[in-house]
Amino acid sequence: KAGVTQTPRYLIKTRGQQVTLSCSPISGHRSVSWYQQTPGQGLQFLFEYFSETQRNKGNFPGRFSGRQFSNSRSEMNVSTLELGDSALYLCASSFGAHEETQYFGPGTRLLVL
Amino acid sequence: GEDVEQSLFLSVREGDSSVINCTYTDSSSTYLYWYKQEPGAGLQLLTYIFSNMDMKQDQRLTVLLNKKDKHLSLRIADTQTGDSAIYFCAESIRGSQGNLIFGKGTKLSVKP
């Protein structure tokens, strides 16, 4: 069974631009969570989607948004990029009915110049 | 509140056992996890333990959970150079779907 895939793997943007990252979960998984990983703050939860609905949200500004499609694929968008948004963005999938084990993708490394 | 703490570094010799420790604060944890991250990679799930268990063994990995002290440990037997990585402890909280609370990670260095 294929694992979680994320595209693109690397991205360079400039301040003020916007970016969209994509995540395809493991087949059969309906929950997708997004995390931001930085050296200073570590791993921080952004949001979680299940059956196209956002069920949970972390403490990030409204510039960070996401959505999930009917095939469980998910995208996250960051608008008006800031230097501090440079990070590794990780997506994780699970079956999703309860607090199940999450399986992570390889991440998208975003550099904001 | 929710907080997970780990020591930042651990150095061992190849063939020795490694023990990585973690403490957590939320008593409504349901599952506790250990993930491994190699340079430039995502997180690899190593093992997990349900909060009402005391111990779980999986090949070279042994997880011990002390619920009273909210202490979790990961023992890696016969540590190899390929085990060098950052190890993250994480907890899931009842009712907080999709949100794992992670520690800062323990960097394990294995010397030949």
Side-chain angles (χ1 to χ4, degrees), chain B residues 87-108:
Chain B
Y87 291 79
F88 291 93
C89 164
E91 61 173 343
S92 63
I93 309 297
R94 182 171 291 112
S96 185
Q97 280 92 355
N99 180 6
L100 293 182
I101 310 298
F102 283 87
K104 295 284 193 212
T106 299
K107 185 172 183 179
L108 174 65

Side-chain angles (χ1 to χ4, degrees), chain A residues 9-10 31 33-35 37 39-45 47-48 55-56 88 90 96-107 109, chain B residues 28 30-31 33 35 37 39-45 47-48 86 88-89 91-105:
Chain A
R9 292 293 311 279
Y10 304 93
S31 167
S33 294
W34 288 90
Y35 295 83
Q37 185 179 27
Q41 299 299 316
L43 282 148
Q44 294 185 288
F45 172 74
F47 27 65
E48 187 259 2
R55 289 195 301 188
N56 202 356
L88 181 66
L90 292 162
H98 303 288
E99 294 90 15
E100 289 107 356
T101 301
Q102 294 184 21
Y103 297 87
F104 283 78
R109 188 164 294 279
Chain B
S28 14
T30 51
Y31 287 91
Y33 300 89
Y35 286 91
Q37 187 175 37
L43 300 180
Q44 175 194 351
L45 175 68
T47 188
Y48 62 92
I86 300 177
F88 291 93
C89 164
E91 61 173 343
S92 63
I93 309 297
R94 182 171 291 112
S96 185
Q97 280 92 355
N99 180 6
L100 293 182
I101 310 298
F102 283 87
K104 295 284 193 212

Side-chain angles (χ1 to χ4, degrees), chain B residues 54-70:
Chain B
D54 297 321
M55 186 184 97
K56 181 178 180 182
Q57 186 148 4
D58 186 358
Q59 299 183 330
R60 291 191 298 126
L61 305 178
T62 303
V63 178
L64 295 177
L65 175 59
N66 180 327
K67 291 180 285 295
K68 176 175 166 290
D69 295 337
K70 295 191 176 69

